[in-house]
Amino acid sequence: MYQITRTKFGRSENRLLRRLLLVAFEENGHHVTGCDPSPAGKIAKRRYGIPLVPEFFGDGLFSEASFDVVIGRQVLEHIKDPVSFLRSIRRILRRDGLVALEVPDVQLWMRYGVIGTFFPEHLSYFSRLSLKNLVTSIGFDIVSMRQRHTDIFLVARKSENIEKQTILFDPEELQRISTLLTGYPGKIQRMKTELSALIHQEKNNGKSIVVYGAGVHTTGLFSLLQLGEKEIDHVIDDNKAVWGKYIPGFNKAIGSPALLEELDHKYLVIVSGFSYQEEILHQLEKVRSNQLEVVILYPKIHLI
């Protein structure tokens, strides 16, 4: 079994690695290998004892037909040449081997007007149809494809038939994507107007403003609304690796969610994130405070 992942500890990726170890190692006796060139990969190796290759995945890194399963979670959208990347995966899979891919659903992100839908780290964008076309054109048969919250999750089996398959073309889907793309800037502008007004109103009411989430979404949010220490009092995140670090342009260090129980006055928490919105809300349910109000941004700005 082979695992390719962007390792971000403190949220879902570390749980994925733990599950792989539990199911593959302890229950079924299979072998798990990780591939991650980032410093976070070293944390995975040390914390979970995972055999890990600290390099970018590509041809020549592993032997042909040496793995049964390849998992690429939140990886494909970062790859410059996804065709070559998937061909390399196909090469290292054994007969009838499986590839599992998870990518952001660009249509859903545009429909909700998500900040950071388009940003430099993502080199490719996928709809359900484009992902299916890509995978089948390289020599895979689709086993399943489903929506997983904000993302598309696809499982495909290595096919022995390597003849190029017909690319599906759906004019209606193309029109839907075009409409979403055209309307996206307007949705971002509406969010900017509405959220700026809400922050201004709540500050005038004497509340502190706390942003929960210290990822790319928050960087985009601060840039879009030109937020600083005047508007935002604290940024928190449950990822210990970012505590004490800073959002670009914001001069207060990122803190722990434990801060919420220390505040002795009313405050508004902005849930900053799309993929992690439900997870953050779950964390906030554990906060014992009657001073807390929460606002989510998707599918629309809403106080809860």
Side-chain angles (χ1 to χ4, degrees), residues 268-293:
L268 177 72
V269 176
I270 299 173
V271 177
S272 179
F274 183 46
S275 297
Y276 296 117
Q277 181 169 274
E278 293 302 317
E279 186 171 340
I280 292 173
L281 288 175
H282 179 68
Q283 293 294 328
L284 288 171
E285 289 175 358
K286 303 175 184 178
V287 177
R288 295 182 295 274
S289 173
N290 58 5
Q291 307 286 345
L292 170 67
E293 288 188 352

PDB file of all heavy atoms in Angstrom, residues 268-293:
ATOM      1  N   LEU A 268     -17.125  37.683  19.013  1.00  0.00           N
ATOM      2  CA  LEU A 268     -17.648  37.034  17.819  1.00  0.00           C
ATOM      3  C   LEU A 268     -16.534  36.212  17.187  1.00  0.00           C
ATOM      4  O   LEU A 268     -15.431  36.714  16.964  1.00  0.00           O
ATOM      5  CB  LEU A 268     -18.132  38.083  16.811  1.00  0.00           C
ATOM      6  CG  LEU A 268     -18.642  37.547  15.466  1.00  0.00           C
ATOM      7  CD1 LEU A 268     -19.995  36.863  15.643  1.00  0.00           C
ATOM      8  CD2 LEU A 268     -18.754  38.675  14.440  1.00  0.00           C
ATOM      9  N   VAL A 269     -16.814  34.946  16.923  1.00  0.00           N
ATOM     10  CA  VAL A 269     -15.849  34.073  16.262  1.00  0.00           C
ATOM     11  C   VAL A 269     -16.241  33.921  14.796  1.00  0.00           C
ATOM     12  O   VAL A 269     -17.353  33.481  14.482  1.00  0.00           O
ATOM     13  CB  VAL A 269     -15.784  32.687  16.926  1.00  0.00           C
ATOM     14  CG1 VAL A 269     -14.843  31.767  16.142  1.00  0.00           C
ATOM     15  CG2 VAL A 269     -15.315  32.805  18.365  1.00  0.00           C
ATOM     16  N   ILE A 270     -15.337  34.306  13.906  1.00  0.00           N
ATOM     17  CA  ILE A 270     -15.531  34.103  12.471  1.00  0.00           C
ATOM     18  C   ILE A 270     -14.886  32.771  12.095  1.00  0.00           C
ATOM     19  O   ILE A 270     -13.681  32.583  12.287  1.00  0.00           O
ATOM     20  CB  ILE A 270     -14.892  35.240  11.653  1.00  0.00           C
ATOM     21  CG1 ILE A 270     -15.533  36.581  12.010  1.00  0.00           C
ATOM     22  CG2 ILE A 270     -15.027  34.964  10.155  1.00  0.00           C
ATOM     23  CD1 ILE A 270     -14.837  37.779  11.373  1.00  0.00           C
ATOM     24  N   VAL A 271     -15.685  31.843  11.600  1.00  0.00           N
ATOM     25  CA  VAL A 271     -15.157  30.549  11.165  1.00  0.00           C
ATOM     26  C   VAL A 271     -14.560  30.741   9.778  1.00  0.00           C
ATOM     27  O   VAL A 271     -15.277  30.912   8.791  1.00  0.00           O
ATOM     28  CB  VAL A 271     -16.263  29.479  11.135  1.00  0.00           C
ATOM     29  CG1 VAL A 271     -15.709  28.156  10.614  1.00  0.00           C
ATOM     30  CG2 VAL A 271     -16.857  29.295  12.532  1.00  0.00           C
ATOM     31  N   SER A 272     -13.234  30.733   9.709  1.00  0.00           N
ATOM     32  CA  SER A 272     -12.534  31.035   8.460  1.00  0.00           C
ATOM     33  C   SER A 272     -12.062  29.749   7.803  1.00  0.00           C
ATOM     34  O   SER A 272     -11.030  29.179   8.166  1.00  0.00           O
ATOM     35  CB  SER A 272     -11.340  31.959   8.725  1.00  0.00           C
ATOM     36  OG  SER A 272     -10.652  32.237   7.523  1.00  0.00           O
ATOM     37  N   GLY A 273     -12.839  29.299   6.846  1.00  0.00           N
ATOM     38  CA  GLY A 273     -12.494  28.080   6.133  1.00  0.00           C
ATOM     39  C   GLY A 273     -13.730  27.507   5.488  1.00  0.00           C
ATOM     40  O   GLY A 273     -14.850  27.757   5.942  1.00  0.00           O
ATOM     41  N   PHE A 274     -13.541  26.757   4.442  1.00  0.00           N
ATOM     42  CA  PHE A 274     -14.651  26.083   3.769  1.00  0.00           C
ATOM     43  C   PHE A 274     -14.570  24.585   4.029  1.00  0.00           C
ATOM     44  O   PHE A 274     -15.489  23.984   4.573  1.00  0.00           O
ATOM     45  CB  PHE A 274     -14.600  26.390   2.274  1.00  0.00           C
ATOM     46  CG  PHE A 274     -15.748  25.805   1.489  1.00  0.00           C
ATOM     47  CD1 PHE A 274     -17.045  25.914   1.943  1.00  0.00           C
ATOM     48  CD2 PHE A 274     -15.522  25.160   0.284  1.00  0.00           C
ATOM     49  CE1 PHE A 274     -18.111  25.381   1.224  1.00  0.00           C
ATOM     50  CE2 PHE A 274     -16.571  24.627  -0.451  1.00  0.00           C
ATOM     51  CZ  PHE A 274     -17.868  24.738   0.020  1.00  0.00           C
ATOM     52  N   SER A 275     -13.438  23.990   3.702  1.00  0.00           N
ATOM     53  CA  SER A 275     -13.281  22.551   3.899  1.00  0.00           C
ATOM     54  C   SER A 275     -13.393  22.160   5.369  1.00  0.00           C
ATOM     55  O   SER A 275     -13.875  21.074   5.699  1.00  0.00           O
ATOM     56  CB  SER A 275     -11.922  22.092   3.355  1.00  0.00           C
ATOM     57  OG  SER A 275     -11.838  22.294   1.968  1.00  0.00           O
ATOM     58  N   TYR A 276     -12.938  23.049   6.273  1.00  0.00           N
ATOM     59  CA  TYR A 276     -12.902  22.717   7.694  1.00  0.00           C
ATOM     60  C   TYR A 276     -14.012  23.390   8.494  1.00  0.00           C
ATOM     61  O   TYR A 276     -13.988  23.374   9.726  1.00  0.00           O
ATOM     62  CB  TYR A 276     -11.543  23.114   8.282  1.00  0.00           C
ATOM     63  CG  TYR A 276     -10.387  22.348   7.696  1.00  0.00           C
ATOM     64  CD1 TYR A 276      -9.389  22.998   6.979  1.00  0.00           C
ATOM     65  CD2 TYR A 276     -10.305  20.971   7.850  1.00  0.00           C
ATOM     66  CE1 TYR A 276      -8.330  22.288   6.436  1.00  0.00           C
ATOM     67  CE2 TYR A 276      -9.248  20.254   7.314  1.00  0.00           C
ATOM     68  CZ  TYR A 276      -8.258  20.916   6.607  1.00  0.00           C
ATOM     69  OH  TYR A 276      -7.215  20.214   6.072  1.00  0.00           O
ATOM     70  N   GLN A 277     -15.001  23.964   7.816  1.00  0.00           N
ATOM     71  CA  GLN A 277     -16.032  24.712   8.532  1.00  0.00           C
ATOM     72  C   GLN A 277     -16.778  23.841   9.543  1.00  0.00           C
ATOM     73  O   GLN A 277     -16.951  24.231  10.708  1.00  0.00           O
ATOM     74  CB  GLN A 277     -17.020  25.322   7.533  1.00  0.00           C
ATOM     75  CG  GLN A 277     -18.120  26.151   8.176  1.00  0.00           C
ATOM     76  CD  GLN A 277     -18.915  26.946   7.151  1.00  0.00           C
ATOM     77  OE1 GLN A 277     -18.541  28.042   6.774  1.00  0.00           O
ATOM     78  NE2 GLN A 277     -20.027  26.381   6.694  1.00  0.00           N
ATOM     79  N   GLU A 278     -17.210  22.658   9.130  1.00  0.00           N
ATOM     80  CA  GLU A 278     -17.958  21.781  10.028  1.00  0.00           C
ATOM     81  C   GLU A 278     -17.094  21.310  11.191  1.00  0.00           C
ATOM     82  O   GLU A 278     -17.567  21.191  12.329  1.00  0.00           O
ATOM     83  CB  GLU A 278     -18.510  20.582   9.250  1.00  0.00           C
ATOM     84  CG  GLU A 278     -19.578  20.942   8.235  1.00  0.00           C
ATOM     85  CD  GLU A 278     -20.764  21.648   8.876  1.00  0.00           C
ATOM     86  OE1 GLU A 278     -21.198  21.210   9.961  1.00  0.00           O
ATOM     87  OE2 GLU A 278     -21.245  22.645   8.300  1.00  0.00           O
ATOM     88  N   GLU A 279     -15.831  21.043  10.914  1.00  0.00           N
ATOM     89  CA  GLU A 279     -14.934  20.587  11.976  1.00  0.00           C
ATOM     90  C   GLU A 279     -14.708  21.685  13.013  1.00  0.00           C
ATOM     91  O   GLU A 279     -14.685  21.422  14.219  1.00  0.00           O
ATOM     92  CB  GLU A 279     -13.601  20.152  11.376  1.00  0.00           C
ATOM     93  CG  GLU A 279     -12.656  19.536  12.393  1.00  0.00           C
ATOM     94  CD  GLU A 279     -11.433  18.915  11.751  1.00  0.00           C
ATOM     95  OE1 GLU A 279     -11.469  18.615  10.545  1.00  0.00           O
ATOM     96  OE2 GLU A 279     -10.444  18.727  12.478  1.00  0.00           O
ATOM     97  N   ILE A 280     -14.559  22.920  12.557  1.00  0.00           N
ATOM     98  CA  ILE A 280     -14.371  24.034  13.489  1.00  0.00           C
ATOM     99  C   ILE A 280     -15.629  24.235  14.333  1.00  0.00           C
ATOM    100  O   ILE A 280     -15.557  24.460  15.546  1.00  0.00           O
ATOM    101  CB  ILE A 280     -14.007  25.324  12.726  1.00  0.00           C
ATOM    102  CG1 ILE A 280     -12.615  25.190  12.101  1.00  0.00           C
ATOM    103  CG2 ILE A 280     -14.044  26.532  13.661  1.00  0.00           C
ATOM    104  CD1 ILE A 280     -12.228  26.345  11.194  1.00  0.00           C
ATOM    105  N   LEU A 281     -16.798  24.142  13.699  1.00  0.00           N
ATOM    106  CA  LEU A 281     -18.048  24.278  14.454  1.00  0.00           C
ATOM    107  C   LEU A 281     -18.153  23.201  15.533  1.00  0.00           C
ATOM    108  O   LEU A 281     -18.629  23.462  16.646  1.00  0.00           O
ATOM    109  CB  LEU A 281     -19.247  24.200  13.508  1.00  0.00           C
ATOM    110  CG  LEU A 281     -19.470  25.415  12.604  1.00  0.00           C
ATOM    111  CD1 LEU A 281     -20.606  25.152  11.626  1.00  0.00           C
ATOM    112  CD2 LEU A 281     -19.766  26.662  13.437  1.00  0.00           C
ATOM    113  N   HIS A 282     -17.712  22.002  15.200  1.00  0.00           N
ATOM    114  CA  HIS A 282     -17.722  20.917  16.188  1.00  0.00           C
ATOM    115  C   HIS A 282     -16.810  21.257  17.362  1.00  0.00           C
ATOM    116  O   HIS A 282     -17.160  21.006  18.528  1.00  0.00           O
ATOM    117  CB  HIS A 282     -17.278  19.615  15.527  1.00  0.00           C
ATOM    118  CG  HIS A 282     -17.224  18.448  16.463  1.00  0.00           C
ATOM    119  ND1 HIS A 282     -18.351  17.881  17.028  1.00  0.00           N
ATOM    120  CD2 HIS A 282     -16.164  17.750  16.961  1.00  0.00           C
ATOM    121  CE1 HIS A 282     -17.995  16.890  17.820  1.00  0.00           C
ATOM    122  NE2 HIS A 282     -16.674  16.790  17.799  1.00  0.00           N
ATOM    123  N   GLN A 283     -15.651  21.839  17.071  1.00  0.00           N
ATOM    124  CA  GLN A 283     -14.742  22.239  18.144  1.00  0.00           C
ATOM    125  C   GLN A 283     -15.360  23.332  19.012  1.00  0.00           C
ATOM    126  O   GLN A 283     -15.208  23.337  20.240  1.00  0.00           O
ATOM    127  CB  GLN A 283     -13.419  22.738  17.548  1.00  0.00           C
ATOM    128  CG  GLN A 283     -12.599  21.679  16.843  1.00  0.00           C
ATOM    129  CD  GLN A 283     -12.078  20.610  17.788  1.00  0.00           C
ATOM    130  OE1 GLN A 283     -11.799  20.876  18.955  1.00  0.00           O
ATOM    131  NE2 GLN A 283     -11.965  19.392  17.287  1.00  0.00           N
ATOM    132  N   LEU A 284     -16.077  24.256  18.383  1.00  0.00           N
ATOM    133  CA  LEU A 284     -16.675  25.364  19.128  1.00  0.00           C
ATOM    134  C   LEU A 284     -17.805  24.899  20.042  1.00  0.00           C
ATOM    135  O   LEU A 284     -18.111  25.560  21.038  1.00  0.00           O
ATOM    136  CB  LEU A 284     -17.190  26.428  18.153  1.00  0.00           C
ATOM    137  CG  LEU A 284     -16.103  27.250  17.447  1.00  0.00           C
ATOM    138  CD1 LEU A 284     -16.709  28.121  16.357  1.00  0.00           C
ATOM    139  CD2 LEU A 284     -15.336  28.111  18.449  1.00  0.00           C
ATOM    140  N   GLU A 285     -18.426  23.773  19.714  1.00  0.00           N
ATOM    141  CA  GLU A 285     -19.477  23.235  20.584  1.00  0.00           C
ATOM    142  C   GLU A 285     -18.932  22.857  21.960  1.00  0.00           C
ATOM    143  O   GLU A 285     -19.679  22.793  22.936  1.00  0.00           O
ATOM    144  CB  GLU A 285     -20.114  22.005  19.930  1.00  0.00           C
ATOM    145  CG  GLU A 285     -20.969  22.326  18.710  1.00  0.00           C
ATOM    146  CD  GLU A 285     -21.485  21.072  18.032  1.00  0.00           C
ATOM    147  OE1 GLU A 285     -21.128  19.960  18.500  1.00  0.00           O
ATOM    148  OE2 GLU A 285     -22.230  21.188  17.045  1.00  0.00           O
ATOM    149  N   LYS A 286     -17.633  22.627  22.045  1.00  0.00           N
ATOM    150  CA  LYS A 286     -17.016  22.216  23.305  1.00  0.00           C
ATOM    151  C   LYS A 286     -16.638  23.405  24.187  1.00  0.00           C
ATOM    152  O   LYS A 286     -16.260  23.215  25.346  1.00  0.00           O
ATOM    153  CB  LYS A 286     -15.762  21.386  23.015  1.00  0.00           C
ATOM    154  CG  LYS A 286     -16.008  20.160  22.145  1.00  0.00           C
ATOM    155  CD  LYS A 286     -14.698  19.469  21.800  1.00  0.00           C
ATOM    156  CE  LYS A 286     -14.924  18.299  20.851  1.00  0.00           C
ATOM    157  NZ  LYS A 286     -13.638  17.657  20.465  1.00  0.00           N
ATOM    158  N   VAL A 287     -16.720  24.610  23.630  1.00  0.00           N
ATOM    159  CA  VAL A 287     -16.309  25.796  24.384  1.00  0.00           C
ATOM    160  C   VAL A 287     -17.371  26.141  25.419  1.00  0.00           C
ATOM    161  O   VAL A 287     -18.540  26.337  25.086  1.00  0.00           O
ATOM    162  CB  VAL A 287     -16.078  26.997  23.443  1.00  0.00           C
ATOM    163  CG1 VAL A 287     -15.727  28.242  24.251  1.00  0.00           C
ATOM    164  CG2 VAL A 287     -14.972  26.680  22.448  1.00  0.00           C
ATOM    165  N   ARG A 288     -16.951  26.216  26.667  1.00  0.00           N
ATOM    166  CA  ARG A 288     -17.879  26.538  27.755  1.00  0.00           C
ATOM    167  C   ARG A 288     -17.847  28.046  28.008  1.00  0.00           C
ATOM    168  O   ARG A 288     -17.033  28.549  28.782  1.00  0.00           O
ATOM    169  CB  ARG A 288     -17.498  25.760  29.013  1.00  0.00           C
ATOM    170  CG  ARG A 288     -17.653  24.254  28.873  1.00  0.00           C
ATOM    171  CD  ARG A 288     -17.316  23.538  30.170  1.00  0.00           C
ATOM    172  NE  ARG A 288     -15.914  23.706  30.527  1.00  0.00           N
ATOM    173  CZ  ARG A 288     -14.941  22.931  30.072  1.00  0.00           C
ATOM    174  NH1 ARG A 288     -15.216  21.945  29.236  1.00  0.00           N
ATOM    175  NH2 ARG A 288     -13.693  23.137  30.445  1.00  0.00           N
ATOM    176  N   SER A 289     -18.722  28.753  27.308  1.00  0.00           N
ATOM    177  CA  SER A 289     -18.772  30.205  27.453  1.00  0.00           C
ATOM    178  C   SER A 289     -20.127  30.708  26.992  1.00  0.00           C
ATOM    179  O   SER A 289     -20.655  30.264  25.973  1.00  0.00           O
ATOM    180  CB  SER A 289     -17.665  30.868  26.622  1.00  0.00           C
ATOM    181  OG  SER A 289     -17.818  32.278  26.636  1.00  0.00           O
ATOM    182  N   ASN A 290     -20.702  31.633  27.762  1.00  0.00           N
ATOM    183  CA  ASN A 290     -21.953  32.267  27.336  1.00  0.00           C
ATOM    184  C   ASN A 290     -21.694  33.613  26.671  1.00  0.00           C
ATOM    185  O   ASN A 290     -22.611  34.378  26.427  1.00  0.00           O
ATOM    186  CB  ASN A 290     -22.903  32.433  28.530  1.00  0.00           C
ATOM    187  CG  ASN A 290     -22.283  33.260  29.651  1.00  0.00           C
ATOM    188  OD1 ASN A 290     -21.175  33.794  29.509  1.00  0.00           O
ATOM    189  ND2 ASN A 290     -22.990  33.352  30.765  1.00  0.00           N
ATOM    190  N   GLN A 291     -20.415  33.885  26.396  1.00  0.00           N
ATOM    191  CA  GLN A 291     -20.030  35.139  25.751  1.00  0.00           C
ATOM    192  C   GLN A 291     -19.829  34.960  24.244  1.00  0.00           C
ATOM    193  O   GLN A 291     -19.518  35.915  23.547  1.00  0.00           O
ATOM    194  CB  GLN A 291     -18.712  35.655  26.356  1.00  0.00           C
ATOM    195  CG  GLN A 291     -18.714  35.784  27.867  1.00  0.00           C
ATOM    196  CD  GLN A 291     -19.536  36.971  28.341  1.00  0.00           C
ATOM    197  OE1 GLN A 291     -19.883  37.849  27.563  1.00  0.00           O
ATOM    198  NE2 GLN A 291     -19.863  36.991  29.616  1.00  0.00           N
ATOM    199  N   LEU A 292     -20.044  33.747  23.765  1.00  0.00           N
ATOM    200  CA  LEU A 292     -19.632  33.379  22.411  1.00  0.00           C
ATOM    201  C   LEU A 292     -20.763  33.521  21.400  1.00  0.00           C
ATOM    202  O   LEU A 292     -21.872  33.042  21.616  1.00  0.00           O
ATOM    203  CB  LEU A 292     -19.133  31.930  22.422  1.00  0.00           C
ATOM    204  CG  LEU A 292     -18.864  31.249  21.085  1.00  0.00           C
ATOM    205  CD1 LEU A 292     -17.685  31.904  20.387  1.00  0.00           C
ATOM    206  CD2 LEU A 292     -18.594  29.766  21.297  1.00  0.00           C
ATOM    207  N   GLU A 293     -20.463  34.188  20.287  1.00  0.00           N
ATOM    208  CA  GLU A 293     -21.311  34.176  19.103  1.00  0.00           C
ATOM    209  C   GLU A 293     -20.446  33.738  17.927  1.00  0.00           C
ATOM    210  O   GLU A 293     -19.247  34.023  17.889  1.00  0.00           O
ATOM    211  CB  GLU A 293     -21.918  35.554  18.831  1.00  0.00           C
ATOM    212  CG  GLU A 293     -23.010  35.951  19.809  1.00  0.00           C
ATOM    213  CD  GLU A 293     -23.717  37.225  19.389  1.00  0.00           C
ATOM    214  OE1 GLU A 293     -23.261  37.869  18.422  1.00  0.00           O
ATOM    215  OE2 GLU A 293     -24.720  37.580  20.021  1.00  0.00           O
TER     216      GLU A 293
END
